[in-house]
Amino acid sequence: MKKLATMIAALAIGGTVHAAPVPAAKQELVNRVLQLWHPESIGESMLQAPVGDAVQQARAVLQGRVSPEKRDAALKEIVADARQFMDQNKPLAQASAQKLVGTTVAPLLAERFTDDELRQIITILESPVKKKFEAMVPELQKKLGEGVAADTRAVMDPKLQELQQRIGMRLRSAVTP
């Protein structure tokens, strides 16, 4: 009955169901992959991108147009608004992804991977080495970022300042009557 409901739901959202019902053992493997992978985080990522872009655009617009004190105060408020927006809307995006994963991602996993391949994916996702590496990624990114910044600062800072000035001039000419 649940498989029939899944097929009907897939048809209702515009999908087509071509595959035969997934055997229970394979569906359990697919479910385990989904549990370990956390695809609901995709909804949050999709929400973060435009919010981050909006904050970056605001920062660019304010740069050079207002005093540093006003700029910093405005950015502080903008960032607070962005965080509040994320806090309020993240649950909706995550719930939507969670709701749709069974009719979008799960059938693809079942169709394109064998039982043995799904077991291998599970082994990878459960790997203590993978978890250790993922826990270390922020530190690795920070160290690399610091190194790149130090290595390129002398060359990049003047170029970035020039770019910011050009953008500021373009913004001023665009908004000046």
Side-chain angles (χ1 to χ4, degrees):
M1 189 61 148
K2 186 173 181 172
K3 291 193 193 311
L4 178 60
T6 301
M7 290 170 39
I8 291 169
L11 289 169
I13 61 170
T16 56
V17 179
H18 296 288
V22 177
K26 186 170 196 169
Q27 187 61 50
E28 286 300 316
L29 292 170
V30 167
N31 291 345
R32 183 69 181 140
V33 167
L34 294 173
Q35 179 185 31
L36 293 166
W37 177 38
H38 302 290
E40 67 277 2
S41 65
I42 293 170
E44 180 181 349
S45 296
M46 291 181 69
L47 190 61
Q48 283 176 338
V51 171
D53 288 346
V55 171
Q56 286 298 100
Q57 288 172 0
R59 180 175 282 123
V61 167
L62 292 170
Q63 186 70 31
R65 297 189 76 193
V66 296
S67 68
E69 297 81 24
K70 284 185 178 180
R71 180 194 65 221
D72 293 346
L75 283 174
K76 186 176 179 179
E77 291 174 357
I78 290 167
V79 168
D81 288 343
R83 280 195 185 113
Q84 181 181 9
F85 177 87
M86 286 298 298
D87 290 345
Q88 290 172 347
N89 293 285
K90 184 170 69 171
L92 176 64
Q94 288 175 328
S96 176
Q98 190 66 36
K99 175 181 77 173
L100 295 172
V101 75
T103 57
T104 56
V105 176
L108 287 173
L109 289 172
E111 176 187 321
R112 297 194 185 165
F113 291 95
T114 66
D115 288 16
D116 187 50
E117 290 170 330
L118 290 168
R119 283 187 202 92
Q120 289 177 45
I121 293 170
I122 291 167
T123 299
I124 291 167
L125 293 174
E126 289 179 331
S127 166
V129 173
K130 178 188 174 288
K131 290 175 184 172
K132 182 177 180 179
F133 177 75
E134 286 177 342
M136 196 174 165
V137 165
E139 179 183 352
L140 296 172
Q141 290 173 333
K142 180 181 178 196
K143 289 288 186 188
L144 180 60
E146 290 169 350
V148 169
D151 189 47
T152 63
R153 182 171 287 122
V155 174
M156 294 302 290
D157 279 358
K159 291 179 180 184
L160 285 170
Q161 288 173 356
E162 180 185 334
L163 175 63
Q164 289 173 340
Q165 289 172 353
R166 281 195 318 261
I167 290 171
M169 287 188 316
R170 291 189 195 284
L171 286 170
R172 281 189 289 282
S173 68
V175 297
T176 304

mmCIF file of all heavy atoms in Angstrom, residues 62 64-74:
data_model
loop_
_atom_site.group_PDB
_atom_site.id
_atom_site.type_symbol
_atom_site.label_atom_id
_atom_site.label_comp_id
_atom_site.label_asym_id
_atom_site.label_seq_id
_atom_site.Cartn_x
_atom_site.Cartn_y
_atom_site.Cartn_z
ATOM 1 N N LEU A 62 26.733 49.406 0.178
ATOM 2 C CA LEU A 62 27.091 50.318 1.263
ATOM 3 C C LEU A 62 28.556 50.767 1.213
ATOM 4 O O LEU A 62 28.883 51.856 1.681
ATOM 5 C CB LEU A 62 26.812 49.660 2.616
ATOM 6 C CG LEU A 62 25.344 49.440 2.949
ATOM 7 C CD1 LEU A 62 25.216 48.561 4.180
ATOM 8 C CD2 LEU A 62 24.643 50.764 3.159
ATOM 9 N N GLY A 64 31.706 52.484 0.587
ATOM 10 C CA GLY A 64 32.071 53.752 -0.004
ATOM 11 C C GLY A 64 30.936 54.757 -0.142
ATOM 12 O O GLY A 64 31.159 55.895 -0.532
ATOM 13 N N ARG A 65 29.711 54.352 0.158
ATOM 14 C CA ARG A 65 28.567 55.259 0.014
ATOM 15 C C ARG A 65 28.178 55.908 1.328
ATOM 16 O O ARG A 65 27.516 56.940 1.332
ATOM 17 C CB ARG A 65 27.360 54.505 -0.547
ATOM 18 C CG ARG A 65 27.632 53.957 -1.941
ATOM 19 C CD ARG A 65 26.404 53.438 -2.549
ATOM 20 N NE ARG A 65 25.609 54.584 -2.992
ATOM 21 C CZ ARG A 65 24.366 54.510 -3.347
ATOM 22 N NH1 ARG A 65 23.743 53.363 -3.316
ATOM 23 N NH2 ARG A 65 23.713 55.571 -3.751
ATOM 24 N N VAL A 66 28.527 55.268 2.409
ATOM 25 C CA VAL A 66 28.179 55.799 3.730
ATOM 26 C C VAL A 66 29.422 55.719 4.616
ATOM 27 O O VAL A 66 30.379 55.009 4.314
ATOM 28 C CB VAL A 66 27.011 55.021 4.383
ATOM 29 C CG1 VAL A 66 25.733 55.177 3.583
ATOM 30 C CG2 VAL A 66 27.338 53.559 4.544
ATOM 31 N N SER A 67 29.381 56.429 5.712
ATOM 32 C CA SER A 67 30.520 56.413 6.633
ATOM 33 C C SER A 67 30.710 54.992 7.171
ATOM 34 O O SER A 67 29.755 54.214 7.245
ATOM 35 C CB SER A 67 30.278 57.383 7.789
ATOM 36 O OG SER A 67 29.228 56.899 8.609
ATOM 37 N N PRO A 68 31.925 54.674 7.568
ATOM 38 C CA PRO A 68 32.170 53.329 8.112
ATOM 39 C C PRO A 68 31.270 52.987 9.294
ATOM 40 O O PRO A 68 30.821 51.853 9.417
ATOM 41 C CB PRO A 68 33.645 53.375 8.533
ATOM 42 C CG PRO A 68 34.258 54.402 7.641
ATOM 43 C CD PRO A 68 33.174 55.433 7.428
ATOM 44 N N GLU A 69 30.965 53.980 10.128
ATOM 45 C CA GLU A 69 30.109 53.715 11.288
ATOM 46 C C GLU A 69 28.702 53.334 10.849
ATOM 47 O O GLU A 69 28.110 52.374 11.355
ATOM 48 C CB GLU A 69 30.049 54.940 12.216
ATOM 49 C CG GLU A 69 31.380 55.334 12.831
ATOM 50 C CD GLU A 69 32.257 56.164 11.877
ATOM 51 O OE1 GLU A 69 31.727 56.828 10.948
ATOM 52 O OE2 GLU A 69 33.493 56.135 12.059
ATOM 53 N N LYS A 70 28.152 54.103 9.906
ATOM 54 C CA LYS A 70 26.804 53.808 9.407
ATOM 55 C C LYS A 70 26.795 52.486 8.650
ATOM 56 O O LYS A 70 25.853 51.710 8.762
ATOM 57 C CB LYS A 70 26.300 54.934 8.497
ATOM 58 C CG LYS A 70 25.864 56.165 9.230
ATOM 59 C CD LYS A 70 25.266 57.171 8.251
ATOM 60 C CE LYS A 70 24.769 58.399 8.982
ATOM 61 N NZ LYS A 70 24.188 59.371 8.044
ATOM 62 N N ARG A 71 27.858 52.252 7.865
ATOM 63 C CA ARG A 71 27.957 51.000 7.108
ATOM 64 C C ARG A 71 27.950 49.808 8.054
ATOM 65 O O ARG A 71 27.200 48.858 7.877
ATOM 66 C CB ARG A 71 29.226 50.999 6.251
ATOM 67 C CG ARG A 71 29.389 49.707 5.440
ATOM 68 C CD ARG A 71 30.777 49.557 4.862
ATOM 69 N NE ARG A 71 31.726 49.425 5.963
ATOM 70 C CZ ARG A 71 32.918 50.005 5.986
ATOM 71 N NH1 ARG A 71 33.322 50.759 5.004
ATOM 72 N NH2 ARG A 71 33.721 49.817 7.015
ATOM 73 N N ASP A 72 28.800 49.874 9.090
ATOM 74 C CA ASP A 72 28.901 48.767 10.037
ATOM 75 C C ASP A 72 27.584 48.544 10.785
ATOM 76 O O ASP A 72 27.165 47.399 10.980
ATOM 77 C CB ASP A 72 30.039 49.011 11.028
ATOM 78 C CG ASP A 72 31.405 48.964 10.354
ATOM 79 O OD1 ASP A 72 31.496 48.480 9.199
ATOM 80 O OD2 ASP A 72 32.381 49.421 10.980
ATOM 81 N N ALA A 73 26.929 49.631 11.167
ATOM 82 C CA ALA A 73 25.644 49.514 11.863
ATOM 83 C C ALA A 73 24.592 48.907 10.946
ATOM 84 O O ALA A 73 23.824 48.014 11.359
ATOM 85 C CB ALA A 73 25.186 50.879 12.369
ATOM 86 N N ALA A 74 24.556 49.370 9.695
ATOM 87 C CA ALA A 74 23.574 48.831 8.745
ATOM 88 C C ALA A 74 23.849 47.363 8.466
ATOM 89 O O ALA A 74 22.921 46.544 8.421
ATOM 90 C CB ALA A 74 23.602 49.642 7.447
#
